[in-house]
Amino acid sequence: MDIAALRDFVAGQLDGTEYYLVDLTVSKNNEIRVEIDSAGPVDIDRCVELTRAIEEAFPRDDDDYELEVGSAGLTSPFKVRAQYEKHLGERIDVVMRDGSKLLGTLTAIGEDGFTLVVPTKVRHEGAKRPVVEDVAREIPFADVKSAAYHLEF
């Protein structure tokens, strides 16, 4: 299976739509997993259409494979910039490469990172006790191990 050709084909199928490719993996056993997402909900009919298009363009007679096309899970780690954009203004969980964890509101996305507003204990000069204030932190993408939407019940 030519993974680059498959990736290009899927990207072409999604081009001009509200959907975008999050991830495409092919295992050693030719198990293909395609994850897509959009600014809104991912329609199951769109996943079925994409599955049929892939099967038509890459016949199983040439390469026998197992195919799964689905949406990125709501709490799955972000893999592409568009997922950060989708969750702008929402609370996200971030695990930093140094192991620290942050929970805050995603307020901006830049070229090399994003801004996360995190409730932080701050002790003002002359105050007896610290107070919790929202502090904006600039976080480089390179320092992030994982980031995901924070699901609250």
Side-chain angles (χ1 to χ4, degrees):
M1 176 70 59
D2 184 349
I3 298 171
L6 178 59
R7 184 176 299 278
D8 289 345
F9 177 79
V10 171
Q13 292 293 304
L14 299 176
D15 193 34
T17 71
E18 65 183 297
Y19 297 95
Y20 53 88
L21 180 63
V22 172
D23 197 17
L24 187 150
T25 57
V26 180
S27 75
K28 292 178 183 178
N29 299 331
N30 262 0
E31 296 168 338
I32 302 169
R33 179 167 169 73
V34 178
E35 286 183 64
I36 61 173
D37 206 347
S38 73
V42 174
D43 185 35
I44 189 71
D45 292 335
R46 183 63 180 128
C47 293
V48 170
E49 289 171 13
L50 185 56
T51 298
R52 289 183 180 146
I54 292 169
E55 289 173 336
E56 185 177 311
F58 296 87
R60 291 181 193 255
D61 296 340
D62 299 343
D63 275 315
D64 188 30
Y65 59 85
E66 182 178 317
L67 177 62
E68 178 183 339
V69 176
S71 66
L74 183 61
T75 58
S76 296
F78 300 162
K79 295 179 183 175
V80 296
R81 179 186 175 88
Q83 290 176 294
Y84 285 89
E85 292 168 357
K86 174 180 180 174
H87 294 288
L88 194 58
E90 297 177 336
R91 290 170 43 107
I92 64 171
D93 293 303
V94 178
V95 178
M96 304 297 288
R97 293 208 182 276
D98 67 6
S100 61
K101 297 178 181 179
L102 301 170
L103 170 61
T105 303
L106 179 62
T107 59
I109 303 163
E111 193 66 32
D112 299 320
F114 58 93
T115 304
L116 191 68
V117 174
V118 181
T120 306
K121 285 186 181 180
V122 177
R123 184 184 304 265
H124 293 285
E125 189 174 326
K128 292 184 177 183
R129 295 183 179 191
V131 293
V132 176
E133 293 181 2
D134 287 339
V135 176
R137 293 189 53 181
E138 300 296 321
I139 301 175
F141 288 122
D143 292 350
V144 176
K145 182 176 181 181
S146 69
Y149 173 73
H150 180 76
L151 185 61
E152 295 184 62
F153 295 97

